[in-house]
Amino acid sequence: MVIQSYRPRLAEACRRFGVGLAHILYDVQTLHADRMPTKGPVIVVSNHVGFLDGPLVFILTPRPLRFLVKRTYFASLWGFFLRITGQIPIDQHSADREALAAARQTLTAGGGIGIFPEGTRGSGAVETAQQGAAFLAQATGARVVPVAVLGTKGSGGRDSWPKLRGSLRVVIGEPFALPKHRGVPGRERLRLSTEELRSRLASHVDEATRETGLTLPVSTPE
């Protein structure tokens, strides 16, 4: 497992530094921070449009989160920061039991997990969703908090960054619990819960674009 270097105090210092840097480089705002539960396990699910989505949600969400992050990123220049801030490496091409167990342990302890259910950068409209977030919510009873990230993709190619001093918004939605679907077989229950999560996140993103006036990009998934 690649999370042995996690140091909560150092992670919080990185968050504070990141907030200051973000406000220097961009016009950054978090909207509806009061909606975030201050206690108990939460799974923050966000749309995914640009490279800055993960760092932005990490620093601007009102409570610490540990994200499920592509394992390949831990071998990049970002690997050191991913480790010390407690991010959890996951293999997206398999049922990564080790990653899910680490996330479940964090939730059982009352912590927060961050997930991009779309699994990759794209338009951010949440037209599809992977099952990991719904699985963890079912397994732990954690509340789900939808988050819309807007403005993080530039006008160039899919890896382009937003222009300096551009408007970036993190819009926090109302927390919800997934229906239990009692009496429904396990696989179908997970499918239904995943669709419920996807639909509610997509609706929140749509509402956030209307509230902020920021639109989603047209993007080709990675």
Side-chain angles (χ1 to χ4, degrees), residues 1-61:
M1 188 172 285
V2 196
I3 57 175
Q4 297 175 352
S5 301
Y6 177 44
R7 301 177 183 177
R9 290 185 180 179
L10 187 54
E12 187 57 31
C14 289
R15 270 168 40 94
R16 291 195 298 268
F17 174 80
V19 169
L21 181 62
H23 281 285
I24 292 173
L25 298 177
Y26 297 104
D27 171 18
V28 176
Q29 289 186 32
T30 304
L31 304 181
H32 310 300
D34 58 299
R35 293 174 175 172
M36 179 65 65
T38 58
K39 296 181 180 179
V42 294
I43 300 171
V44 170
V45 293
S46 174
N47 65 322
H48 204 4
V49 296
F51 182 79
L52 288 180
D53 295 341
L56 204 64
V57 178
F58 173 71
I59 64 174
L60 294 181
T61 300

Side-chain angles (χ1 to χ4, degrees), residues 2-171:
V2 196
I3 57 175
Q4 297 175 352
S5 301
Y6 177 44
R7 301 177 183 177
R9 290 185 180 179
L10 187 54
E12 187 57 31
C14 289
R15 270 168 40 94
R16 291 195 298 268
F17 174 80
V19 169
L21 181 62
H23 281 285
I24 292 173
L25 298 177
Y26 297 104
D27 171 18
V28 176
Q29 289 186 32
T30 304
L31 304 181
H32 310 300
D34 58 299
R35 293 174 175 172
M36 179 65 65
T38 58
K39 296 181 180 179
V42 294
I43 300 171
V44 170
V45 293
S46 174
N47 65 322
H48 204 4
V49 296
F51 182 79
L52 288 180
D53 295 341
L56 204 64
V57 178
F58 173 71
I59 64 174
L60 294 181
T61 300
R63 59 181 290 180
L65 296 175
R66 303 178 72 178
F67 278 82
L68 294 176
V69 178
K70 289 181 182 179
R71 188 175 295 274
T72 54
Y73 283 144
F74 284 79
S76 71
L77 293 175
W78 297 97
F80 171 75
F81 295 98
L82 292 173
R83 292 184 182 90
I84 65 173
T85 56
Q87 311 316 313
I88 300 171
I90 186 169
D91 183 352
Q92 293 183 310
H93 302 294
S94 67
D96 194 331
R97 296 183 178 180
E98 187 177 50
L100 292 175
R104 188 169 179 172
Q105 183 178 24
T106 297
L107 293 168
T108 301
I113 289 292
I115 297 177
F116 294 98
E118 293 165 288
T120 188
R121 286 176 278 173
S123 71
V126 200
E127 296 175 347
T128 62
Q130 298 180 352
Q131 296 182 333
F135 170 81
L136 288 170
Q138 285 183 346
T140 64
R143 283 182 289 178
V144 180
V145 181
V147 169
V149 185
L150 302 170
T152 53
K153 184 178 181 301
S155 57
R158 67 183 184 185
D159 292 327
S160 62
W161 287 39
K163 64 180 181 179
L164 293 178
R165 300 309 304 162
S167 296
L168 310 184
R169 299 291 181 266
V170 172
V171 187

